């Protein structure tokens, strides 16, 4: 089944540029599916009308079939807009001529419904004006045919009794099928978006670690110096004849604590640099996420002269991925550090509160808030107030997506006197 799915997507995407924008690509895939499905349906009607000697229906179907084939050719040769427009025109032509030949209440008029709906599927959201105009045009044609009557271009055609029922069944099946494929393609596109978002999160996190590299190197350098001093001291004393063995345990304990500190830093770095998009859910406390955060941010905060405080219910349990919460917290803390440059008083407070159903993690700094015109756009992708090369504008947008995917929310608290962002997540119910 997965192989069939991949082959269908490959078939519907054949001829599309690899870097085509997501919504445009989805619209084009639907347009191709609509085109091929319509071609098969009209091909069936050519055989059907030819078998029952329903002239001129046979010729109308053949003209429409040729126009649809030309529309598919245009789309395959990258003339997407003209191809989709011709596809809609050929469908309208097919229905108009069929209704003109057999009259209303014979089933063919049901196809008008699909011709009104389908433009909204095969055009992107930015092209809804075109879709609306096409739909209005189809509606006007229906009205004119009702007002003026049929047999304008040909004599009436007597159709079999079952023709109306057959047309109705085909329209229902065709419409349901189109909507089902549209929903399935949208699901596939959403999967692709989530995959790309996971990769962006990973890249953003690596960039954040790179920015902290100096502080992390300093964080590890200190323990290494402690180890070096103790090893050198023990080596020197071992060469002396009157050294005291009872000095060893104290030195060894210091070295053990130093190694544990370094291990914790390395462990946190390893966790935070992993791409955890497909990791299973786990139960963890807010304090566990903060441990990793402090391991990599502590030195950066010290160097910037920032006082870091944590208060509230740090042991409350959440179900999700501890690394992702740590990544979001690091992003918020890094933003706070950058925003407080130049302030005399510098502090960051992480406050954790829970009502039994949701846990609220507030990240507040000494800043005096964000102007309304900036706060309005701050969660939008690629929006940044930092200088070129200092930020991608993806941090808050990606963080918000990660939190919302876990059933929570991330927002800026405009009511706070100081700059404050709030993370809300469901509490793990035992």
């Amino acid at each position: 089944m997965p192989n069939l799915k991949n082959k269908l997507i490959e078939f519907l995407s054949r001829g599309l540029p690899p870097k085509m924008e997501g919504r445009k690509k989805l619209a084009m895939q639907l347009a191709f599916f609509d085109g091929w499905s319509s071609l098969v349906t009209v091909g069936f009607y050519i055989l059907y009308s030819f078998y029952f000697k329903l002239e001129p229906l046979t010729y109308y179907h053949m003209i429409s079939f040729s126009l649809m084939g030309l529309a598919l050719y245009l789309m395959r040769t990258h003339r997407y807009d003209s191809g989709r427009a011709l596809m809609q025109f050929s469908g309208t032509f097919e229905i108009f001529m069929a209704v003109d030949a057999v009259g209303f209440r014979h089933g063919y008029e049901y196809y008008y419904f699909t011709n009104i709906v389908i433009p909204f599927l095969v055009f992107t959201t930015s092209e809804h004006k075109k879709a609306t105009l096409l739909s209005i045009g189809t509606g006007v044609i229906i009205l004119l045919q009702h007002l003026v009557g049929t047999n304008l271009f040909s004599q009436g055609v007597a159709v079999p009794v079952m023709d109306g029922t057959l047309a109705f069944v085909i329209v229902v099946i065709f419409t349901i099928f189109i909507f089902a494929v549209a929903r399935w393609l949208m699901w596939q596109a959403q999967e692709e978006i989530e995959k790309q978002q996971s990769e962006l999160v990973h890249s953003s996190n690596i960039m954040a670690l790179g920015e902290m590299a100096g502080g992390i190197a300093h964080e590890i350098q200190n323990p290494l110096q402690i180890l070096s001093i103790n090893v050198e001291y023990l080596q020197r004393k071992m060469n002396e004849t009157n050294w005291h063995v009872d000095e060893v345990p104290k030195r060894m304990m210091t070295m053990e604590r130093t190694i544990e500190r370094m291990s914790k830093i390395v462990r946190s770095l390893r966790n935070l640099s992993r791409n955890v998009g497909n990791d299973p859910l786990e139960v963890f406390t807010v304090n566990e996420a903060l441990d990793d955060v402090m391991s990599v941010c502590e030195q950066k905060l010290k160097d910037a002269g920032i006082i870091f405080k944590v208060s509230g219910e740090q042991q409350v349990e959440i179900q999700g991925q501890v690394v992702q919460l740590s990544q979001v917290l690091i992003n918020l803390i890094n933003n706070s550090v950058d925003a407080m440059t130049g302030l005399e008083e510098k502090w960051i407070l992480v406050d954790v509160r829970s009502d039994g159903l949701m846990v609220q993690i507030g990240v507040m700094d000494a800043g005096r808030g964000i102007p309304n015109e900036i706060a309005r756009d701050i969660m939008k992708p690629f929006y940044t107030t930092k200088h070129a090369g200092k930020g991608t504008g993806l941090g808050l947008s990606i963080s918000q997506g990660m939190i919302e995917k876990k059933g929570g929310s991330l927002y800026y608290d405009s009511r706070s006197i100081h700059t404050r962002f709030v993370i809300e997540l469901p509490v793990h119910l035992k």
Side-chain angles (χ1 to χ4, degrees), residues 349-422:
L349 172 64
V350 177
D351 184 54
V352 186
R353 293 284 179 265
S354 172
D355 61 5
L357 294 176
M358 299 290 288
V359 59
Q360 187 182 86
I361 307 169
V363 180
M364 183 166 63
D365 62 50
R368 303 300 291 183
I370 300 172
N372 291 334
E373 61 272 15
I374 295 176
R376 186 174 56 248
D377 299 322
I378 203 165
M379 293 293 183
K380 292 180 181 178
F382 302 105
Y383 182 84
T384 180
T385 57
K386 297 178 182 179
H387 296 299
K390 292 292 184 180
T392 61
L394 288 170
L396 285 173
S397 173
I398 292 173
S399 296
Q400 188 179 50
M402 289 165 62
I403 296 298
E404 287 179 351
K405 192 178 176 184
K406 298 297 182 288
S409 60
L410 168 63
Y411 59 89
Y412 167 66
D413 183 4
S414 58
R415 294 172 299 177
S416 174
I417 296 174
H418 296 285
T419 306
R420 183 172 184 260
F421 284 86
V422 179

Side-chain angles (χ1 to χ4, degrees), residues 17-29:
K19 293 184 179 180
M20 178 176 275
E21 187 262 329
R23 289 177 296 179
K24 181 87 169 179
K25 184 177 180 181
L26 175 63
M28 288 309 307
Q29 287 173 331

Side-chain angles (χ1 to χ4, degrees), residues 50-322:
F50 180 78
Y51 179 79
F52 285 104
K53 298 181 173 59
L54 302 177
E55 297 181 354
L57 277 180
T58 304
Y59 303 111
Y60 293 155
H61 293 324
M62 289 174 68
I63 294 170
S64 185
F65 186 89
S66 301
L67 291 173
M68 288 178 179
L70 177 60
L72 278 170
Y73 170 77
L74 289 173
M75 287 191 287
R76 286 293 183 203
T77 53
H78 302 174
R79 284 167 280 190
Y80 305 118
D81 293 337
S82 55
R84 284 188 291 172
L86 182 59
M87 182 63 67
Q88 291 302 311
F89 171 78
S90 61
T92 305
F93 171 83
E94 164 77 11
I95 299 164
F96 178 85
M97 298 309 293
V99 174
D100 181 65
V102 304
F104 285 99
R105 301 183 187 86
H106 283 84
Y108 284 96
E109 70 272 16
Y110 299 134
Y111 284 104
Y112 275 124
F113 170 73
T114 58
N115 240 46
I116 289 172
V117 171
I118 286 174
F120 287 95
L121 295 175
V122 300
F123 286 85
T124 67
T125 51
S126 61
E127 299 172 309
H128 269 177
K129 284 185 180 179
K130 296 178 184 177
T132 303
L133 287 173
L134 284 167
S135 300
I136 291 172
T138 305
V140 169
I141 290 169
I142 297 173
L143 181 63
L144 287 174
Q145 276 195 319
H146 269 292
L147 293 175
V148 179
T150 54
N151 309 135
L152 300 174
F153 296 92
S154 63
Q155 295 179 350
V157 176
V159 296
V161 177
M162 290 299 293
D163 193 74
T165 305
L166 178 65
F168 179 76
V169 170
I170 288 175
V171 166
V172 171
I173 293 173
F174 183 79
T175 305
I176 291 173
F177 203 39
I178 283 284
F179 273 103
V181 170
R183 182 69 189 90
W184 178 71
L185 284 172
M186 286 176 68
W187 179 67
Q188 292 295 322
Q190 185 61 36
E191 267 195 342
E192 184 64 26
I193 288 169
E194 288 178 1
K195 181 182 176 183
Q196 290 174 356
Q197 187 185 60
S198 177
E199 290 172 356
L200 279 172
V201 169
H202 182 57
S203 300
S204 179
N205 194 45
I206 293 295
M207 286 174 65
L209 291 176
E211 289 174 7
M212 290 185 279
I216 292 166
H218 185 61
E219 193 75 38
I220 294 176
Q221 185 66 27
N222 283 345
L224 282 172
Q225 285 179 346
I226 293 170
L227 286 174
S228 178
I229 290 168
N230 279 279
V231 168
E232 187 180 338
Y233 176 84
L234 289 173
Q235 285 177 337
R236 190 172 65 252
K237 288 294 182 181
M238 284 174 65
N239 294 326
E240 297 178 3
T241 54
N242 59 342
W243 78 298
H244 299 286
V245 179
D246 55 356
E247 293 182 32
V248 174
K250 183 179 177 182
R251 294 283 179 175
M252 293 297 290
M253 192 176 295
T254 301
M255 293 169 71
E256 190 177 348
R257 283 198 301 265
T258 304
I259 290 170
E260 176 56 33
R261 181 184 170 195
M262 290 175 64
S263 298
K264 185 178 179 182
I265 294 169
V266 172
R267 188 166 57 246
S268 298
L269 285 170
R270 186 179 62 226
N271 288 338
L272 290 166
S273 61
R274 283 193 307 114
N275 190 351
V276 295
N278 297 318
D279 280 11
L281 298 181
E282 55 189 338
V283 177
F284 61 91
T285 65
V286 176
N287 193 54
E288 288 177 64
L290 286 169
D291 275 349
D292 280 343
V293 171
M294 287 311 298
S295 292
V296 296
C297 289
E298 188 175 6
Q299 192 60 46
K300 181 175 182 176
L301 294 170
K302 284 180 181 177
D303 291 343
I306 296 171
I307 299 170
F308 187 83
K309 299 177 184 177
V310 180
S311 67
E313 305 167 57
Q314 301 168 48
Q315 297 304 320
V316 65
E317 290 186 336
I318 302 169
Q319 186 174 30
Q321 290 163 331
V322 63

